[in-house]
Amino acid sequence: MDIKYVPTICPYCGVGCGMNLVVKDEKVVGVEPWKRHPVNEGKLCPKGNFCYEIIHREDRLTTPLIKENGEFREATWDEAYDLIASKLGAYDPNEIGFFCCARSPNENIYVNQKFARIVVGTHNIDHCARLCHGPTVAGLAASFGSGAMTNSYASFEDADLIFSIGANSLEAHPLVGRKLMRAKMNGAYFIVADPRYTPTAKQADQYIPFKTGTDVALMNAMMNVIISEGLEDKEFIEKRTKNYEELKEVVSKYTPEMAEEITQVPADVIRDIAIKYAKADKAAIVYSLGITEHSHGVDNVMQTANLAMLTGNIGRLGTGVNPLRGQNNVQGACDMGALPTDYPGYRKVADQEVMEDVTCTWGCSDLGCEPGLKIPEMIDAAAKGDLKVLYITGEDPVISDPDTHHVEEALNNLDFFVVQDIFMTDTAEFADVVLPAACWAEQEGTFTNGERRVQLIRKAVDAPGESKYDWEIFCDLAKKMGADPEMFTYESAQDIFEEVRTVTPQYAGMNRERLDRPEALHWPCPSEDHPGTAMMHIEKFAHPDGLGIFMPLEEQGPMETPDDEYPLILTTTRLLFHYHAAMTRRAATLDREVPTGYVEINTEDAAELGIANKEKVKVKSRRGEIEIAARVTDDIVKGIVNIPMHFRECSANILTNAAAIDPKSGMPEYKACAVAISKMEGS
Ligand code: SF4
């Protein structure tokens, strides 16, 4: 019996663990961790271990589907292409939008955005970074000149102190969590600030519970202490940064006593952690969606950059500002230009010279310099009837976007809606045409993980039925719509990657031979003799003058605050066994572990409301209400409740607030909205 081991990369989180798919009789029958892989070193979390369970499911999409009289019927590819081409050609390009798939390889995403820009003529292109790390891209780009993780995961093991804020790594990024635990075993002091006493917080040397949405005040007060105590890195500030006096003036107001009022963290604790952070020789900041998913997410991100620059904790092993990215290829989707403001390589749509250069490389005509709409803007425009056609690849906004009723209203209001995916998702049910796509195990290409490591994925088995690669579908459609075939003819994913290198300066020095090894390459890698860049900003920042910019920031707080009617703050989170919903809820082993959702409520709050553990309750916000089981616990700050976001039957996003948006990034405030909880009648 022949068994094949095909090395590839996990399809779930941005950690980017290496794995071998075990193939027998043309089926993937298991997963073996990749022992020589530098990220996971022969380990996987439960999601990675059971990712193969979805590949050969009976409910994979296998043919194009067209909806007629409210029912889907099987269709040929030609029928589907003709219908889509006629619809995309019938509307003003500004009335058409695209959500790209951050789960898909770079090559698919690259062709998707190229198709939208050249063939359809719109920059209305976005992806789920808008809903997770959009503030990281905007915030770190403003502070450092580059919107990505500064160090590598391996760098954590050199830290003397790790300050984790808004990151539950042991559940959401478990193999990074493992590196943090190893750093702790090496002697690093581990501080975790989080409104929830998470599994990660339970491993901390010092846990700092604080009120959700008050990160700016907390870090301003830490900087206030550092400056008052004379612990700032004067040489680093002088040589490597600008705008320090402006920062100093703002943080001077935020005494620990004042911040205590806002954050609920005792002033002496703020003083203590500030001094510990500043005195550590090598201190690393780790953050995730607890920082970004706020209506002031960019401010929170820039605040982590301020703290690191103030203490010279940048450009050395064991230091840095380290956002933990969500989807397996969300970093790549940003790099590939699946953004309404950026072409591949973060070259700005609004810049005329960039546009001329891109049109010259692609051989197309004027693409315009007006940036497109972000995801929340596209949803709003569809709800108002201004966006008429939506083409979604591999996203499931009915589950993952805020205010589900608003999303459903928008989707129902579209004139024409295409979904390209591997399963009939909750979102695909709303579509006019559904196209079957190959999954990660069925194709070649590259994923870029959260530490900017560009890694090869390899084909293990054929895609089921008539499914195609995303890039093939967009190339077929481009030709159907009369595009120059030269622009959309590729032999393989490798062929596409060669083109990606020509328009993405950070990838210019990469080729298949160089990537075909476990350590692969970190971007920026500008030439074929460049070793790649595991650590950024060693001698200068990525701004043209090489300086980092301090950003003075005032505390804003969440947009929707509790009141008599809605007295609690809801935060939403992810679980170890689930990753959004469409894939992990179809993996039988993972679904069995946590089959449905619950609301975590503080013991005192529950007692005041007369709610017992496991009792069914009603949670209500200004957007809607759900029925869900209560989990009464001391692991959450009083006044805050938490619902994992994966479960359609008790969906947290029915409650969340699509109107509370970060003006600097378009990020909706998933981490704070006002809710009320009540016992169910008769319970
Ligand atoms: Fe996959 Fe992330 Fe788990 Fe690694 S940590 S196995 S990349 S889900």
Side-chain angles (χ1 to χ4, degrees):
M1 153 207 336
D2 281 347
I3 291 186
K4 247 188 345 184
Y5 292 84
V6 180
T8 192
I9 302 300
C10 177
Y12 288 120
C13 86
V15 176
C17 296
M19 58 171 56
N20 284 282
L21 295 177
V22 184
V23 181
K24 186 182 154 205
D25 299 333
E26 303 305 317
K27 296 265 188 245
V28 182
V29 295
V31 158
E32 281 284 331
W34 188 345
K35 295 199 172 41
R36 280 187 57 225
H37 197 276
V39 170
N40 52 310
E41 301 159 305
K43 303 277 187 275
L44 292 170
C45 81
K47 289 186 286 284
N49 266 318
F50 296 102
C51 64
Y52 71 96
E53 289 185 345
I54 62 159
I55 297 171
H56 303 293
R57 276 185 63 109
E58 292 280 306
D59 57 349
R60 280 288 301 273
L61 293 168
T62 54
T63 63
L65 302 170
I66 291 177
K67 195 181 271 170
E68 278 175 0
N69 303 319
E71 299 287 327
F72 285 112
R73 67 160 176 88
E74 291 188 358
T76 65
W77 275 104
D78 261 344
E79 273 181 288
Y81 283 154
D82 284 338
L83 180 58
I84 296 168
S86 71
K87 295 288 185 183
L88 291 179
Y91 289 87
D92 183 298
N94 294 322
E95 295 174 328
I96 303 172
F98 289 82
F99 294 7
C100 301
C101 177
R103 206 63 73 67
S104 198
N106 286 319
E107 293 73 7
N108 288 348
I109 300 165
Y110 174 79
V111 178
N112 187 349
Q113 61 83 38
K114 186 178 173 185
F115 171 82
R117 291 189 153 113
I118 296 179
V119 182
V120 176
T122 184
H123 292 297
N124 292 341
I125 307 156
D126 209 354
H127 72 286
C128 66
R130 189 68 51 210
L131 312 173
C132 62
H133 274 283
T136 291
V137 178
L140 295 186
S143 297
F144 298 154
S146 170
M149 185 169 175
T150 63
N151 288 45
S152 67
Y153 302 140
S155 165
F156 295 139
E157 294 183 35
D158 284 276
D160 298 317
L161 180 144
I162 293 169
F163 178 48
S164 169
I165 181 163
N168 178 14
S169 324
L170 283 173
E171 280 205 274
H173 302 90
L175 270 295
V176 164
R178 184 170 179 265
K179 289 209 188 289
L180 298 178
M181 291 306 99
R182 195 184 286 164
K184 192 169 174 265
M185 283 162 62
N186 291 347
Y189 190 77
F190 189 36
I191 300 173
V192 175
D194 202 304
R196 295 170 58 229
Y197 192 40
T198 62
T200 310
K202 286 173 184 159
Q203 298 303 320
D205 293 301
Q206 197 167 355
Y207 167 54
I208 315 295
F210 73 111
K211 191 173 161 193
T212 188
T214 61
D215 313 67
V216 166
L218 178 65
M219 286 185 271
N220 266 346
M222 288 174 70
M223 289 191 280
N224 176 302
V225 172
I226 290 167
I227 295 169
S228 316
E229 297 284 327
L231 294 172
E232 73 276 22
D233 187 332
K234 296 176 185 66
E235 191 184 343
F236 187 92
I237 294 166
E238 169 68 25
K239 289 193 179 146
R240 303 237 4 225
T241 69
K242 59 188 181 190
N243 229 20
Y244 173 61
E245 289 306 320
E246 288 81 348
L247 176 91
K248 195 172 165 185
E249 192 183 328
V250 169
V251 303
S252 68
K253 293 182 288 186
Y254 288 80
T255 61
E257 287 70 23
M258 177 214 187
E260 177 174 344
E261 296 277 306
I262 302 169
T263 62
Q264 297 174 356
V265 181
D268 60 337
V269 173
I270 297 177
R271 250 185 219 103
D272 180 45
I273 58 171
I275 290 170
K276 281 178 178 146
Y277 176 79
K279 283 192 169 171
D281 178 32
K282 292 171 288 177
I285 295 174
V286 176
Y287 74 79
S288 194
L289 304 188
I291 280 286
T292 58
E293 286 188 335
H294 288 280
S295 56
H296 48 271
V298 173
D299 289 359
N300 288 348
V301 169
M302 293 192 295
Q303 197 70 321
T304 63
N306 287 337
L307 193 52
M309 287 191 290
L310 184 68
T311 49
N313 275 306
I314 287 285
R316 293 179 292 128
L317 276 175
T319 70
V321 175
N322 302 288
L324 303 180
R325 303 299 298 257
Q327 309 250 7
N328 57 322
N329 197 33
V330 74
Q331 179 67 58
C334 295
D335 303 345
M336 293 303 104
L339 297 166
T341 46
D342 295 55
Y343 290 109
Y346 304 97
R347 302 174 78 207
K348 298 299 165 201
V349 163
D351 185 323
Q352 177 77 20
E353 266 182 45
V354 167
M355 191 270 283
E356 285 167 13
D357 192 52
V358 172
T359 53
C360 182
T361 309
W362 281 346
C364 60
S365 55
D366 192 345
L367 295 171
C369 291
E370 187 66 35
L373 299 176
K374 303 177 178 84
I375 283 178
E377 293 168 338
M378 286 193 250
I379 295 287
D380 287 348
K384 282 188 210 137
D386 295 337
L387 191 100
K388 314 270 195 210
V389 178
L390 191 56
Y391 194 134
I392 293 184
T393 307
E395 280 208 22
D396 195 2
V398 169
I399 293 286
S400 58
D401 287 27
D403 192 352
T404 309
H405 293 147
H406 181 54
V407 173
E408 290 174 344
E409 180 197 2
L411 299 183
N412 278 326
N413 212 24
L414 290 165
D415 285 359
F416 187 65
F417 181 28
V418 183
V419 170
Q420 191 164 300
D421 213 309
I422 61 174
F423 293 112
M424 179 61 75
T425 61
D426 290 295
T427 298
E429 298 281 1
F430 287 77
D432 297 294
V433 178
V434 177
L435 301 177
C439 82
W440 98 106
E442 296 152 358
Q443 57 191 312
E444 303 281 319
T446 51
F447 288 161
T448 306
N449 80 352
E451 52 173 358
R452 299 168 281 101
R453 194 191 295 265
V454 181
Q455 311 193 84
L456 292 180
I457 64 160
R458 297 170 180 84
K459 180 175 173 175
V461 288
D462 288 334
E466 298 172 27
S467 315
K468 295 189 185 206
Y469 309 133
D470 290 344
W471 66 261
E472 276 184 301
I473 298 171
F474 289 115
C475 287
D476 290 348
L477 271 172
K479 289 170 200 156
K480 187 71 90 176
M481 292 179 70
D484 178 353
E486 285 273 301
M487 286 186 218
F488 287 94
T489 299
Y490 303 101
E491 294 297 320
S492 62
Q494 193 178 338
D495 210 7
I496 300 166
F497 191 79
E498 287 303 309
E499 185 176 311
V500 166
R501 294 174 60 192
T502 66
V503 290
T504 313
Q506 296 87 339
Y507 287 57
M510 299 179 182
N511 58 40
R512 186 172 174 102
E513 292 67 43
R514 299 195 73 199
L515 295 178
D516 196 6
R517 51 192 183 144
E519 57 274 27
L521 284 165
H522 298 263
W523 69 251
C525 178
S527 60
E528 287 198 358
D529 57 1
H530 191 284
T533 309
M535 183 163 47
M536 297 182 79
H537 316 307
I538 294 175
E539 281 170 359
K540 56 183 182 149
F541 288 98
H543 285 300
D545 62 4
L547 298 176
I549 306 175
F550 282 113
M551 299 288 179
L553 297 161
E554 299 281 3
E555 169 68 23
Q556 307 285 339
M559 277 191 186
E560 191 176 63
T561 50
D563 56 17
D564 289 346
E565 199 180 352
Y566 298 100
L568 299 163
I569 300 176
L570 168 70
T571 186
T572 65
T573 52
R574 285 151 187 78
L575 296 168
L576 174 62
F577 296 99
H578 284 290
Y579 199 86
H580 293 281
M583 289 163 77
T584 50
R585 289 205 79 189
R586 285 179 168 86
T589 310
L590 298 174
D591 200 44
R592 208 162 40 233
E593 289 290 339
V594 189
T596 192
Y598 52 84
V599 56
E600 284 182 326
I601 178 167
N602 176 274
T603 309
E604 280 183 48
D605 289 328
E608 281 167 21
L609 293 163
I611 291 168
N613 193 33
K614 296 189 179 171
E615 189 177 359
K616 205 79 178 278
V617 296
K618 189 182 281 184
V619 187
K620 195 173 162 200
S621 77
R622 292 186 174 83
R623 274 68 56 192
E625 61 183 48
I626 59 171
E627 293 175 7
I628 190 167
R631 180 174 286 187
V632 178
T633 173
D634 289 330
D635 288 352
I636 193 161
V637 168
K638 182 168 162 39
I640 299 176
V641 295
N642 166 51
I643 302 178
M645 53 76 68
H646 314 282
F647 305 98
R648 173 75 166 136
E649 64 278 13
C650 48
S651 178
N653 281 323
I654 286 177
L655 308 167
T656 50
N657 188 0
I661 295 278
D662 180 3
K664 296 175 184 168
S665 67
M667 164 62 77
E669 190 149 55
Y670 288 103
K671 295 293 186 193
C673 74
V675 296
I677 299 192
S678 55
K679 283 169 80 80
M680 301 278 295
E681 270 174 39
S683 66

